[in-house]
Amino acid sequence: MIEVVNLNKSFGDLHVLKDINITIHKGEKVVVIGPSGSGKSTFLRCLNCMEDPTSGSILFHGVDLTDMKVDINLHRQKMGMVFQHFNLFNNKTVLENITLAPEYIAKKQMRKLKLRRKSYGAEIKSAKQIKEETKANAMELLERVGLSDKAEAYPSQLSGGQKQRVAIVRSLAMQPEVMLFDEPTSALDPEMVGEVLEVMKDLAKSGMTMVVVTHEMGFAREVADRVLFMDDGRILEEGTPDAIFNHPQNDRLKEFLSKVL
């Protein structure tokens, strides 16, 4: 699904990512671990071009996202992103936060169909139909994460764990093919971490392709198909959870695990 070839990213004189090469397959759960400042979050942000790579290629279904001629927004719709902080709109309800983007995109698609006079063979939906469908989908997703009773609440009325679950639902509402998680539990109180990890575990079981940057080693052991260890902008070792946690080869990885486990 995703192929990263010789990815480099620099901020001025600071070389953050150094010749990253990795292939991520459909349905795979890849967990990225490593010390703070190792380039993990920058790598994730480069995957959907929130950061422009300095050099290298990022192929998504064979399309190079670093190509300036590519409409990155079309491809980014298929890559859901969940951040450390929730980035919810505080002046909108939970339901409005979730339906805002899919409703906008659906209406835009309908306008294009009308303008191109290609309505034959394609259903032209009214604004009311679109609104009803996006709301129904949002409510179904909220039910899935146990928050259907919070649909009309505002972010200020939610706990940190609830906000992060809403952020996950907001990404899922776009019907992505891959979900990117950038340390989704790092801003949460310890007692709220579990409820977010449970949602992520359920998502993994559903077959979603996932790339997760996290410090939750238990989650990596349980959910990952493959674990990447990054340090100083490079992938120093990768393998199954058993290989990484029980039989590490790289000295830097051994040092890291001795401090976090």
PDB file of all heavy atoms in Angstrom, residues 106-124:
ATOM      1  N   ALA A 106     -18.574  15.328   0.161  1.00  0.00           N
ATOM      2  CA  ALA A 106     -19.696  14.727  -0.561  1.00  0.00           C
ATOM      3  C   ALA A 106     -20.441  15.782  -1.377  1.00  0.00           C
ATOM      4  O   ALA A 106     -20.812  15.539  -2.533  1.00  0.00           O
ATOM      5  CB  ALA A 106     -20.645  14.047   0.414  1.00  0.00           C
ATOM      6  N   LYS A 107     -20.655  16.959  -0.811  1.00  0.00           N
ATOM      7  CA  LYS A 107     -21.344  18.040  -1.536  1.00  0.00           C
ATOM      8  C   LYS A 107     -20.504  18.514  -2.723  1.00  0.00           C
ATOM      9  O   LYS A 107     -21.036  18.805  -3.801  1.00  0.00           O
ATOM     10  CB  LYS A 107     -21.627  19.204  -0.589  1.00  0.00           C
ATOM     11  CG  LYS A 107     -22.732  18.922   0.424  1.00  0.00           C
ATOM     12  CD  LYS A 107     -22.949  20.103   1.353  1.00  0.00           C
ATOM     13  CE  LYS A 107     -24.085  19.823   2.331  1.00  0.00           C
ATOM     14  NZ  LYS A 107     -24.276  20.935   3.287  1.00  0.00           N
ATOM     15  N   LYS A 108     -19.194  18.568  -2.522  1.00  0.00           N
ATOM     16  CA  LYS A 108     -18.296  18.983  -3.605  1.00  0.00           C
ATOM     17  C   LYS A 108     -18.346  17.992  -4.751  1.00  0.00           C
ATOM     18  O   LYS A 108     -18.378  18.378  -5.939  1.00  0.00           O
ATOM     19  CB  LYS A 108     -16.865  19.089  -3.048  1.00  0.00           C
ATOM     20  CG  LYS A 108     -15.862  19.695  -4.002  1.00  0.00           C
ATOM     21  CD  LYS A 108     -14.512  19.853  -3.319  1.00  0.00           C
ATOM     22  CE  LYS A 108     -13.492  20.455  -4.266  1.00  0.00           C
ATOM     23  NZ  LYS A 108     -12.164  20.610  -3.609  1.00  0.00           N
ATOM     24  N   GLN A 109     -18.401  16.699  -4.432  1.00  0.00           N
ATOM     25  CA  GLN A 109     -18.486  15.669  -5.463  1.00  0.00           C
ATOM     26  C   GLN A 109     -19.794  15.763  -6.234  1.00  0.00           C
ATOM     27  O   GLN A 109     -19.829  15.585  -7.455  1.00  0.00           O
ATOM     28  CB  GLN A 109     -18.337  14.288  -4.828  1.00  0.00           C
ATOM     29  CG  GLN A 109     -16.938  13.996  -4.317  1.00  0.00           C
ATOM     30  CD  GLN A 109     -16.855  12.710  -3.525  1.00  0.00           C
ATOM     31  OE1 GLN A 109     -17.855  12.215  -3.013  1.00  0.00           O
ATOM     32  NE2 GLN A 109     -15.651  12.169  -3.394  1.00  0.00           N
ATOM     33  N   MET A 110     -20.884  16.046  -5.541  1.00  0.00           N
ATOM     34  CA  MET A 110     -22.172  16.183  -6.206  1.00  0.00           C
ATOM     35  C   MET A 110     -22.174  17.383  -7.157  1.00  0.00           C
ATOM     36  O   MET A 110     -22.734  17.316  -8.252  1.00  0.00           O
ATOM     37  CB  MET A 110     -23.287  16.340  -5.166  1.00  0.00           C
ATOM     38  CG  MET A 110     -23.611  15.092  -4.366  1.00  0.00           C
ATOM     39  SD  MET A 110     -24.080  13.666  -5.389  1.00  0.00           S
ATOM     40  CE  MET A 110     -22.580  12.669  -5.252  1.00  0.00           C
ATOM     41  N   ARG A 111     -21.558  18.478  -6.740  1.00  0.00           N
ATOM     42  CA  ARG A 111     -21.487  19.656  -7.616  1.00  0.00           C
ATOM     43  C   ARG A 111     -20.706  19.350  -8.886  1.00  0.00           C
ATOM     44  O   ARG A 111     -21.072  19.784  -9.983  1.00  0.00           O
ATOM     45  CB  ARG A 111     -20.846  20.835  -6.873  1.00  0.00           C
ATOM     46  CG  ARG A 111     -21.754  21.489  -5.834  1.00  0.00           C
ATOM     47  CD  ARG A 111     -21.221  22.853  -5.425  1.00  0.00           C
ATOM     48  NE  ARG A 111     -19.953  22.748  -4.720  1.00  0.00           N
ATOM     49  CZ  ARG A 111     -19.841  22.606  -3.406  1.00  0.00           C
ATOM     50  NH1 ARG A 111     -20.930  22.545  -2.646  1.00  0.00           N
ATOM     51  NH2 ARG A 111     -18.651  22.529  -2.835  1.00  0.00           N
ATOM     52  N   LYS A 112     -19.628  18.560  -8.754  1.00  0.00           N
ATOM     53  CA  LYS A 112     -18.832  18.193  -9.924  1.00  0.00           C
ATOM     54  C   LYS A 112     -19.636  17.339 -10.893  1.00  0.00           C
ATOM     55  O   LYS A 112     -19.571  17.508 -12.116  1.00  0.00           O
ATOM     56  CB  LYS A 112     -17.579  17.437  -9.486  1.00  0.00           C
ATOM     57  CG  LYS A 112     -16.493  18.322  -8.912  1.00  0.00           C
ATOM     58  CD  LYS A 112     -15.250  17.507  -8.580  1.00  0.00           C
ATOM     59  CE  LYS A 112     -14.135  18.397  -8.072  1.00  0.00           C
ATOM     60  NZ  LYS A 112     -12.921  17.622  -7.724  1.00  0.00           N
ATOM     61  N   LEU A 113     -20.415  16.415 -10.348  1.00  0.00           N
ATOM     62  CA  LEU A 113     -21.246  15.565 -11.202  1.00  0.00           C
ATOM     63  C   LEU A 113     -22.240  16.400 -12.002  1.00  0.00           C
ATOM     64  O   LEU A 113     -22.466  16.174 -13.188  1.00  0.00           O
ATOM     65  CB  LEU A 113     -22.000  14.537 -10.354  1.00  0.00           C
ATOM     66  CG  LEU A 113     -21.192  13.327  -9.859  1.00  0.00           C
ATOM     67  CD1 LEU A 113     -22.036  12.488  -8.912  1.00  0.00           C
ATOM     68  CD2 LEU A 113     -20.719  12.474 -11.031  1.00  0.00           C
ATOM     69  N   LYS A 114     -22.825  17.374 -11.339  1.00  0.00           N
ATOM     70  CA  LYS A 114     -23.801  18.228 -12.015  1.00  0.00           C
ATOM     71  C   LYS A 114     -23.142  19.088 -13.089  1.00  0.00           C
ATOM     72  O   LYS A 114     -23.652  19.219 -14.210  1.00  0.00           O
ATOM     73  CB  LYS A 114     -24.492  19.132 -10.986  1.00  0.00           C
ATOM     74  CG  LYS A 114     -25.429  18.391 -10.037  1.00  0.00           C
ATOM     75  CD  LYS A 114     -26.029  19.345  -9.015  1.00  0.00           C
ATOM     76  CE  LYS A 114     -26.919  18.608  -8.021  1.00  0.00           C
ATOM     77  NZ  LYS A 114     -27.468  19.526  -6.999  1.00  0.00           N
ATOM     78  N   LEU A 115     -21.993  19.679 -12.759  1.00  0.00           N
ATOM     79  CA  LEU A 115     -21.312  20.558 -13.699  1.00  0.00           C
ATOM     80  C   LEU A 115     -20.825  19.810 -14.935  1.00  0.00           C
ATOM     81  O   LEU A 115     -20.839  20.348 -16.040  1.00  0.00           O
ATOM     82  CB  LEU A 115     -20.128  21.241 -13.013  1.00  0.00           C
ATOM     83  CG  LEU A 115     -20.484  22.325 -11.984  1.00  0.00           C
ATOM     84  CD1 LEU A 115     -19.240  22.775 -11.243  1.00  0.00           C
ATOM     85  CD2 LEU A 115     -21.146  23.515 -12.671  1.00  0.00           C
ATOM     86  N   ARG A 116     -20.416  18.582 -14.750  1.00  0.00           N
ATOM     87  CA  ARG A 116     -19.906  17.798 -15.874  1.00  0.00           C
ATOM     88  C   ARG A 116     -21.012  17.090 -16.634  1.00  0.00           C
ATOM     89  O   ARG A 116     -20.752  16.358 -17.587  1.00  0.00           O
ATOM     90  CB  ARG A 116     -18.892  16.769 -15.355  1.00  0.00           C
ATOM     91  CG  ARG A 116     -17.622  17.389 -14.804  1.00  0.00           C
ATOM     92  CD  ARG A 116     -16.711  16.336 -14.222  1.00  0.00           C
ATOM     93  NE  ARG A 116     -15.494  16.937 -13.652  1.00  0.00           N
ATOM     94  CZ  ARG A 116     -14.569  16.266 -13.000  1.00  0.00           C
ATOM     95  NH1 ARG A 116     -14.716  14.950 -12.824  1.00  0.00           N
ATOM     96  NH2 ARG A 116     -13.512  16.865 -12.513  1.00  0.00           N
ATOM     97  N   ARG A 117     -22.234  17.269 -16.177  1.00  0.00           N
ATOM     98  CA  ARG A 117     -23.400  16.658 -16.833  1.00  0.00           C
ATOM     99  C   ARG A 117     -23.236  15.150 -16.977  1.00  0.00           C
ATOM    100  O   ARG A 117     -23.588  14.555 -17.991  1.00  0.00           O
ATOM    101  CB  ARG A 117     -23.649  17.303 -18.200  1.00  0.00           C
ATOM    102  CG  ARG A 117     -23.922  18.793 -18.114  1.00  0.00           C
ATOM    103  CD  ARG A 117     -24.207  19.385 -19.480  1.00  0.00           C
ATOM    104  NE  ARG A 117     -24.406  20.807 -19.414  1.00  0.00           N
ATOM    105  CZ  ARG A 117     -25.545  21.404 -19.071  1.00  0.00           C
ATOM    106  NH1 ARG A 117     -26.587  20.653 -18.748  1.00  0.00           N
ATOM    107  NH2 ARG A 117     -25.645  22.708 -19.049  1.00  0.00           N
ATOM    108  N   LYS A 118     -22.665  14.557 -15.958  1.00  0.00           N
ATOM    109  CA  LYS A 118     -22.479  13.111 -15.970  1.00  0.00           C
ATOM    110  C   LYS A 118     -23.350  12.459 -14.904  1.00  0.00           C
ATOM    111  O   LYS A 118     -22.980  11.520 -14.243  1.00  0.00           O
ATOM    112  CB  LYS A 118     -21.009  12.756 -15.736  1.00  0.00           C
ATOM    113  CG  LYS A 118     -20.106  13.101 -16.920  1.00  0.00           C
ATOM    114  CD  LYS A 118     -18.698  12.598 -16.689  1.00  0.00           C
ATOM    115  CE  LYS A 118     -17.813  12.889 -17.909  1.00  0.00           C
ATOM    116  NZ  LYS A 118     -16.427  12.417 -17.713  1.00  0.00           N
ATOM    117  N   SER A 119     -24.512  13.004 -14.744  1.00  0.00           N
ATOM    118  CA  SER A 119     -25.401  12.474 -13.713  1.00  0.00           C
ATOM    119  C   SER A 119     -25.957  11.103 -14.089  1.00  0.00           C
ATOM    120  O   SER A 119     -26.383  10.346 -13.229  1.00  0.00           O
ATOM    121  CB  SER A 119     -26.557  13.440 -13.454  1.00  0.00           C
ATOM    122  OG  SER A 119     -27.266  13.695 -14.646  1.00  0.00           O
ATOM    123  N   TYR A 120     -25.947  10.798 -15.427  1.00  0.00           N
ATOM    124  CA  TYR A 120     -26.463   9.498 -15.837  1.00  0.00           C
ATOM    125  C   TYR A 120     -25.546   8.411 -15.292  1.00  0.00           C
ATOM    126  O   TYR A 120     -24.331   8.494 -15.357  1.00  0.00           O
ATOM    127  CB  TYR A 120     -26.550   9.397 -17.362  1.00  0.00           C
ATOM    128  CG  TYR A 120     -25.258   9.677 -18.089  1.00  0.00           C
ATOM    129  CD1 TYR A 120     -24.336   8.653 -18.338  1.00  0.00           C
ATOM    130  CD2 TYR A 120     -24.942  10.956 -18.523  1.00  0.00           C
ATOM    131  CE1 TYR A 120     -23.159   8.897 -19.000  1.00  0.00           C
ATOM    132  CE2 TYR A 120     -23.750  11.216 -19.183  1.00  0.00           C
ATOM    133  CZ  TYR A 120     -22.864  10.186 -19.419  1.00  0.00           C
ATOM    134  OH  TYR A 120     -21.692  10.442 -20.076  1.00  0.00           O
ATOM    135  N   GLY A 121     -26.140   7.427 -14.689  1.00  0.00           N
ATOM    136  CA  GLY A 121     -25.377   6.328 -14.116  1.00  0.00           C
ATOM    137  C   GLY A 121     -24.825   6.627 -12.740  1.00  0.00           C
ATOM    138  O   GLY A 121     -24.214   5.765 -12.115  1.00  0.00           O
ATOM    139  N   ALA A 122     -25.013   7.838 -12.260  1.00  0.00           N
ATOM    140  CA  ALA A 122     -24.535   8.210 -10.926  1.00  0.00           C
ATOM    141  C   ALA A 122     -25.650   8.918 -10.180  1.00  0.00           C
ATOM    142  O   ALA A 122     -26.364   9.748 -10.744  1.00  0.00           O
ATOM    143  CB  ALA A 122     -23.317   9.125 -11.033  1.00  0.00           C
ATOM    144  N   GLU A 123     -25.806   8.578  -8.951  1.00  0.00           N
ATOM    145  CA  GLU A 123     -26.878   9.171  -8.153  1.00  0.00           C
ATOM    146  C   GLU A 123     -26.479  10.576  -7.702  1.00  0.00           C
ATOM    147  O   GLU A 123     -25.420  10.789  -7.131  1.00  0.00           O
ATOM    148  CB  GLU A 123     -27.149   8.307  -6.917  1.00  0.00           C
ATOM    149  CG  GLU A 123     -28.275   8.854  -6.040  1.00  0.00           C
ATOM    150  CD  GLU A 123     -28.445   8.062  -4.757  1.00  0.00           C
ATOM    151  OE1 GLU A 123     -27.699   7.086  -4.556  1.00  0.00           O
ATOM    152  OE2 GLU A 123     -29.329   8.429  -3.956  1.00  0.00           O
ATOM    153  N   ILE A 124     -27.332  11.549  -8.006  1.00  0.00           N
ATOM    154  CA  ILE A 124     -27.119  12.914  -7.547  1.00  0.00           C
ATOM    155  C   ILE A 124     -27.910  13.094  -6.259  1.00  0.00           C
ATOM    156  O   ILE A 124     -29.144  13.068  -6.260  1.00  0.00           O
ATOM    157  CB  ILE A 124     -27.580  13.948  -8.593  1.00  0.00           C
ATOM    158  CG1 ILE A 124     -26.829  13.748  -9.909  1.00  0.00           C
ATOM    159  CG2 ILE A 124     -27.362  15.365  -8.061  1.00  0.00           C
ATOM    160  CD1 ILE A 124     -25.349  14.006  -9.825  1.00  0.00           C
TER     161      ILE A 124
END
